[in-house]
Amino acid sequence: FMSIKRRQPGGDTPPQVEERFAALPGQPFSIEGADPGRDAALVGFALSWLPRQNLAIYARYDGTLGNNRTDHLVTVELKDAW
């Protein structure tokens, strides 16, 4: 499996959320995310290998490649059935 996508955000403002704790309802706080930039490429691929009937190995990569932000995520999974 392999995928390549282009992301183009709708606005120029970074993602922001305002929250409140239930114990302090009158005290809001804000969290602001990183500016994702104007364009970014979303790439990903996954591999699977079954060396034996009861053993499977999976690997996956997902990345966001942009002018203001670069993220990488690698996942490896080993399944052994006995």
Side-chain angles (χ1 to χ4, degrees):
F1 143 76
M2 182 174 183
S3 70
I4 300 175
K5 300 176 186 175
R6 179 177 178 228
R7 183 186 59 160
Q8 191 172 17
D12 290 332
T13 58
Q16 184 173 2
V17 65
E18 186 172 299
E19 297 291 337
R20 289 179 171 80
F21 287 114
L24 300 169
Q27 298 295 322
F29 63 94
S30 296
I31 300 172
E32 186 172 312
D35 181 4
R38 293 298 304 158
D39 290 314
L42 307 174
V43 296
F45 65 88
L47 302 170
S48 61
W49 180 40
L50 306 169
R52 295 191 317 249
Q53 185 177 359
N54 62 339
L55 180 65
I57 301 170
Y58 303 97
R60 180 180 177 113
Y61 169 79
D62 291 295
T64 302
L65 310 171
N67 53 355
N68 288 358
R69 177 180 173 174
T70 302
D71 294 324
H72 303 280
L73 174 65
V74 177
T75 305
V76 177
E77 184 177 345
L78 174 69
K79 289 185 178 183
D80 188 12
W82 64 90

